[in-house]
Amino acid sequence: MWTDGGDPLAGADVEVRTRDGTVRRDSTGADGRFEVGGISAPTDADLIVTLDGFVPERLRDVAAGTLDADFLLRRGLSISGRLLDADGKPPDGWLVRALDPDEPD
């Protein structure tokens, strides 16, 4: 796991989702490496990597037993704004999300 500057990325969350619904998680160490066990072979899985301040990345159809899944995380951009209801007041309990139209919810 690397930053766009080429440095190892520690503390990133790694999630593995297999076709049979198994989900396993790990975090990257100081060297940017991770290891997720308990995946039954043969199966393919999606690997999703997230870390605050970086754009999430996903690798699709990764074979169980893969030892060279590399990710390059790029710094994300910020979005700011002000949410008001029809009366011009801040609404209670609303959630604002930025979505990638190419990714499922």
Side-chain angles (χ1 to χ4, degrees), residues 17-97:
R17 297 180 188 171
T18 66
R19 301 293 169 257
D20 67 3
T22 301
V23 177
R24 299 282 187 263
R25 294 180 177 88
D26 193 20
S27 295
T28 56
D31 61 357
R33 296 183 182 274
F34 66 95
E35 182 175 337
V36 178
I39 305 296
S40 299
T43 189
D44 288 344
D46 289 351
L47 276 64
I48 301 119
V49 179
T50 57
L51 181 64
D52 285 347
F54 290 84
V55 177
E57 287 291 328
R58 173 180 281 181
L59 287 179
R60 296 182 187 273
D61 302 321
V62 178
T66 297
L67 300 176
D68 60 352
D70 282 334
F71 288 86
L72 175 67
L73 294 188
R74 296 170 285 125
R75 294 221 176 257
L77 302 175
S78 297
I79 298 173
S80 63
R82 188 170 167 198
L83 183 63
L84 303 173
D85 65 16
D87 296 324
K89 298 177 184 174
D92 289 330
W94 284 26
L95 173 68
V96 177
R97 298 184 341 179

